[in-house]
Amino acid sequence: YQRRVRGAENRAMAVRPLPIVTQSWLVVGLLAHSVAAGGMWGKAAAAESRVLTVLGQAEFDRVLANSTLVLADFMAPWCGHCKRLNPELDQASMELRHISELSIIKIDCTEAENAELRKAHAVTHFPTLIVMEHSRASRYSGARSADALVQFLRKRSEPAVITISAGLPDQLAGGLRGAVLATGLSPEQAREFRVVASRLRDRHAFMLVENDEFAARIGLKPGRVCGVKGPVWEPTTLLNSTSLLPGPIVQGRSDLEAWVEVELSPPLIRLTPNNREDYGFAESKLARAMLFTGAQGLLDADLVEQIHELARKFKNQIRFGEVPADNKALADKYGVLPGSGSVMMVEYGESKFKCAVVGDKSLEKQMDNRETNGIPTANLSQCLQDLLDHKLEPYHKSADDDHELTYNNFNQFRAHGRPAIVLFYNPRTKGYRRVEPIFQELLATLAGEPMVMVGQYNIVSNDPPPGVPLVTSFTGWETQNQLILLPATIKDGQGEGWRLPQTSSVVDIIEQVQERLGVQDLKLQWPTLTERATRQLVKYKAVFGVLVVAGVCVIIMVYAFNTDNKGTAKSRYKSYKQPDGEGAVVETADTRQQVPNPEKKDPEPESKKEL
C-alpha cells in the first residue's frame, strides 16, 4: 500500500508543469540545435550523412572515376540488418568526411536499374559491403559498426607505399608475408606501382627507395622491382643482395601484379576453410590447379615434390593449391566425393577441367584413351599442357543417379522432343520441403499423359543444365527452387521456358501448363481421397508423429492420475473401532485420534475412586 501511495505521489510530481524559466531555456536550446543542424523540421539526419545513393551503372562508374576508395552497401529497404547498418554508415561518413578520395555509397538492389550491378558483384544477401580500391572489388568481412568501419577505411586510405631514404625498417607490419622494393621510377611507373601496392597491401609491403646510393648498395636497378619472400624479414641479409628476387621493369599494373602474386607466394598453397592467407589464389587470373587430398588429408612427399616441379615449369601460367579433406565448400563446388582419391581440378577462365586423379578408375581409363602411359600422376604435366593448348575437354559436375536428371543425361531427356516440367531444386533449403510434396502430386497427376514429361534436377550435385539459361538468369539461383516448363522446341516468342507458380494447388500449375502449351485435353489422373490422405500423412508425418506421442502421453497421465486417486481414497478411508467403554478410534493414513461414540453412553461411576 505504501509503495502504491509513493508511486501515485511520484506520478503527480511528474505531471507538474516546469517553471517558466526552464521552459524558455528548453525552447531556445531546441531552436539552436535545429538551426545548427540545417533546418527546423527534422532535416538534421540528412545533414549528418554523407552517404550517396547510386542508381544505375552510369552513376556507379562516375563515383569510381572520382574516388580511389569506395565502400558500396548493397541493400534492400525491407532488410532489418540494412536498417541497423544505416546509422553506422552515416556516422562513419561524417567521421571520414575529410578524406576527399573516399566515397561511401548505397545501392538499392530492389531497383531495376541496379540489377546489373547486383549481378556483376554476385550479391546474394543483404547487406553486402564491397570495397572498390582503384576499381578492384573485394568484400568487407569485418564488424558492421561505425568504429570498425572508420578504422578499416582510415587504414585503407593511408599511403600504401613506404618511402625509404636511409635504411630498411627493422620489421614488417603484422600479417605481411613479403616485400616489394623499387627505385628510379618515372611518374607513370610510380603511379602503377602505387596502384598495385594499394591492391596488395594486405599481403605484402611496398617500398620505394629514393636514395640512389642505398639502392645501389642493396642491388636495386632503376625502373625495376625486387621482391623479398616472407614471413621472415632480415634487413641485414638484404644488404648483401642475396635474398632479393629480381623482377621485371614496371610497365603495367597487370604484369607487375601477376609477378608479385607468383614470385612472393609458395609453390603449393594450402586452401583451408575460411583461409585468409591464400596469397590471392581465389582472385588470380591465371589457371588455378587444385589438388584435393581425399580422405587421407595429407599429400605424399613424392607428389608434393612433383607439384613443386610443375609449379616451376608452368610459372606465370598456373598456380597450384592443396585442398584438404575438411574444405567441404570447394569439394561441393567441383563435385569431389568424400571417398575419392587425390583429385586435381583446374579452373581456367569460366571452365573447369578434371586433369588427373589418384585412385579414380574411370579417369585412369579416360587417360588411357588419350594414349598416355603410366599412372595418372605421371601424366600431370602432359594433361596441364593440353589444358593450356585448349585440347582438354571441360569437366561438368554430374551426379551418379539413375532416378533423377543429371548433367550427363539432361540432353538425352530433352531429345524426346516433348514439353517437360522440371523442378530445379536445392535439397538444403527450407523451401524444398514445401515444394517437394506439390511436385510429387503433380508427378502423379501427369503420370498418364504422354505429351508432357516430368523430372527433377539437383542443382547442388550437378552443374547448371545445358541449354537452359533461365535457371541461372538471376543472382542467388543456387539457393532457390524453381519449377520450369520447357517447350518441346525453342521457337520465336517462346524463349527457353517459363517459370511456373509454386503454389500449394496443383490445379493452378496445370492451368498454367495448359495455357502455355495451348492445349486443354491433358490426360490427368487426379488422386483419390485415400491417396490424398496418404500424401497429407506423409507430408505432415512429423506433425502427426508429435500428435500421436502427445496423445499417448495424455492417456498415460490420465490413467496414472486415476489410479493414484483411488489409492489415496482407500488410504484415507475412515474406519471406526468401538471398544466397550471407550470412544471410537479413527484410523487415517497419518493420524490417530479419540472421538466420542454417539451411540453408546458412558456408564455411571460407581465410586469416587472410579470417578
Side-chain angles (χ1 to χ4, degrees):
Y1 172 76
Q2 292 178 356
R3 284 197 299 269
R4 289 198 297 270
V5 170
R6 286 197 297 268
E9 293 176 352
N10 293 336
R11 288 192 296 272
M13 293 178 62
V15 298
R16 292 177 183 175
L18 295 174
I20 188 63
V21 177
T22 305
Q23 294 184 26
S24 303
W25 279 111
L26 282 175
V27 172
V28 172
L30 290 174
L31 290 175
H33 175 73
S34 62
V35 172
M40 292 182 61
W41 308 110
K43 296 182 180 180
E48 292 179 357
S49 175
R50 298 175 64 88
V51 179
L52 306 177
T53 301
V54 171
L55 188 64
Q57 184 69 45
E59 292 187 11
F60 184 74
D61 294 338
R62 193 178 305 118
V63 172
L64 293 183
N66 298 328
S67 305
T68 59
L69 180 61
V70 177
L71 177 65
D73 174 25
F74 288 83
M75 48 76 67
W78 47 262
C79 171
H81 295 285
C82 302
K83 295 177 182 178
R84 287 191 289 271
L85 180 62
N86 287 337
E88 305 294 335
L89 288 176
D90 296 338
Q91 182 179 346
S93 67
M94 289 302 297
E95 293 187 24
L96 300 174
R97 60 184 179 275
H98 60 282
I99 304 178
S100 58
E101 64 271 14
L102 169 66
S103 294
I104 301 178
I105 62 176
K106 187 182 299 183
I107 300 175
D108 186 356
C109 293
T110 61
E111 298 288 347
E113 293 85 349
N114 295 328
E116 291 299 325
L117 284 174
R118 177 185 176 183
K119 184 176 181 180
H121 293 89
V123 176
T124 59
H125 59 276
F126 309 116
T128 297
L129 295 177
I130 294 181
V131 182
M132 307 290 296
E133 197 164 4
H134 292 283
S135 301
R136 178 172 180 171
S138 61
R139 299 229 170 182
Y140 172 78
S141 57
R144 295 174 185 171
S145 62
D147 295 338
L149 291 170
V150 168
Q151 183 179 0
F152 172 80
L153 294 174
R154 185 170 288 150
K155 181 180 179 181
R156 304 296 294 192
S157 62
E158 294 175 353
V161 178
I162 303 173
T163 302
I164 303 298
S165 57
L168 298 175
D170 295 333
Q171 59 183 3
L172 298 178
L176 299 181
R177 297 178 287 275
V180 182
L181 294 85
T183 188
L185 302 181
S186 65
E188 181 66 21
Q189 290 176 325
R191 189 177 70 84
E192 299 294 332
F193 187 74
R194 286 190 172 87
V195 169
V196 175
S198 63
R199 290 179 174 179
L200 304 178
R201 68 165 77 203
D202 292 335
R203 306 171 198 159
H204 310 290
F206 287 80
M207 304 178 186
L208 185 59
V209 181
E210 295 183 346
N211 190 325
D212 296 339
E213 181 181 354
F214 181 74
R217 182 183 174 188
I218 63 176
L220 288 178
K221 296 181 179 180
R224 289 183 176 271
V225 296
C226 286
V228 182
K229 281 189 177 181
V232 180
W233 173 257
E234 298 179 355
T236 56
T237 306
L238 294 177
L239 296 178
N240 299 326
S241 303
T242 58
S243 301
L244 289 176
L245 301 173
I249 299 175
V250 182
Q251 293 179 342
R253 65 186 67 175
S254 58
D255 295 337
L256 177 59
E257 192 170 345
W259 179 85
V260 170
E261 76 174 18
V262 170
E263 291 293 341
L264 301 185
S265 302
L268 184 62
I269 302 170
R270 187 168 177 83
L271 305 174
T272 58
N274 301 324
N275 186 14
R276 298 186 179 182
E277 296 184 0
D278 63 347
Y279 295 87
F281 186 89
E283 303 172 0
S284 177
K285 297 180 181 180
L286 304 177
R288 293 172 290 154
M290 288 155 282
L291 190 61
F292 291 81
T293 59
Q296 65 270 21
L298 295 174
L299 293 179
D300 184 75
D302 295 336
L303 187 56
V304 172
E305 180 59 30
Q306 188 177 0
I307 297 297
H308 287 185
E309 237 178 79
L310 293 174
R312 290 188 289 269
K313 178 179 179 180
F314 296 103
K315 191 176 181 179
N316 299 325
Q317 293 177 301
I318 302 176
R319 300 190 69 184
F320 293 86
E322 173 194 356
V323 183
D326 59 347
N327 197 333
K328 305 297 184 182
L330 285 179
D332 287 345
K333 179 180 180 181
Y334 295 99
V336 178
L337 299 178
S340 62
S342 297
V343 184
M344 174 166 280
M345 306 298 300
V346 185
E347 189 165 353
Y348 190 30
E350 296 182 356
S351 301
K352 296 178 293 187
F353 301 88
K354 191 174 183 179
C355 194
V357 301
V358 178
D360 191 342
K361 301 297 181 182
S362 62
L363 194 64
E364 289 180 21
K365 182 177 179 181
Q366 175 186 343
M367 299 190 71
D368 289 339
N369 294 336
R370 291 176 57 247
E371 298 180 358
T372 56
N373 300 319
I375 61 173
T377 52
N379 300 318
L380 280 176
S381 179
Q382 181 62 41
C383 192
L384 293 175
Q385 188 61 52
D386 290 349
L387 167 71
L388 297 176
D389 295 339
H390 304 284
K391 296 180 181 180
L392 200 63
E393 291 295 328
Y395 162 81
H396 298 283
K397 181 174 61 173
S398 180
D400 187 12
D401 192 344
D402 297 333
H403 304 286
E404 285 191 354
L405 296 176
T406 64
Y407 187 92
N408 291 337
N409 64 20
F410 191 80
N411 285 333
Q412 182 180 358
F413 172 76
R414 297 286 290 127
H416 290 84
R418 290 181 290 170
I421 302 175
V422 182
L423 173 64
F424 297 92
Y425 71 96
N426 185 336
R428 301 174 183 174
T429 60
K430 295 181 179 179
Y432 175 67
R433 303 174 188 173
R434 177 180 57 84
V435 73
E436 198 271 340
I438 302 174
F439 175 78
Q440 294 297 333
E441 185 176 350
L442 178 66
L443 181 63
T445 304
L446 296 174
E449 174 53 58
M451 179 181 175
V452 181
M453 299 185 299
V454 183
Q456 51 185 353
Y457 191 97
N458 190 331
I459 59 177
V460 175
S461 304
N462 301 274
D463 277 347
V468 191
L470 184 64
V471 177
T472 59
S473 60
F474 62 97
T475 305
W477 64 270
E478 305 94 335
T479 60
Q480 299 297 323
N481 301 283
Q482 307 176 63
L483 193 62
I484 296 180
L485 172 63
L486 301 175
T489 56
I490 299 177
K491 300 179 181 179
D492 295 337
Q494 283 189 343
E496 288 90 10
W498 306 274
R499 288 193 182 91
L500 298 176
Q502 297 183 17
T503 63
S504 58
S505 174
V506 179
V507 178
D508 297 339
I509 300 177
I510 296 295
E511 290 178 355
Q512 287 282 337
V513 172
Q514 292 177 339
E515 180 182 353
R516 293 294 185 182
L517 299 180
V519 295
Q520 299 294 332
D521 55 347
L522 293 178
K523 297 180 180 179
L524 306 178
Q525 297 180 358
W526 296 107
T528 62
L529 183 61
T530 304
E531 292 175 342
R532 289 185 180 182
T534 304
R535 289 195 187 119
Q536 292 295 326
L537 183 62
V538 173
K539 180 180 178 181
Y540 299 105
K541 57 183 178 182
V543 177
F544 284 116
V546 172
L547 292 178
V548 170
V549 173
V552 172
C553 293
V554 169
I555 293 174
I556 294 174
M557 291 173 62
V558 170
Y559 177 78
F561 180 76
N562 291 335
T563 305
D564 183 65
N565 281 347
K566 290 180 180 179
T568 304
K570 289 181 179 179
S571 64
R572 293 182 178 179
Y573 174 73
K574 298 182 179 181
S575 61
Y576 296 89
K577 294 182 179 179
Q578 302 177 358
D580 295 339
E582 298 181 358
V585 178
V586 180
E587 295 185 355
T588 63
D590 51 356
T591 60
R592 294 174 60 87
Q593 61 182 356
Q594 295 282 344
V595 296
N597 189 351
E599 298 180 358
K600 187 176 181 179
K601 297 182 179 181
D602 293 337
E604 293 295 334
E606 297 179 357
S607 63
K608 292 185 178 180
K609 182 178 180 181
E610 185 180 354
L611 180 61

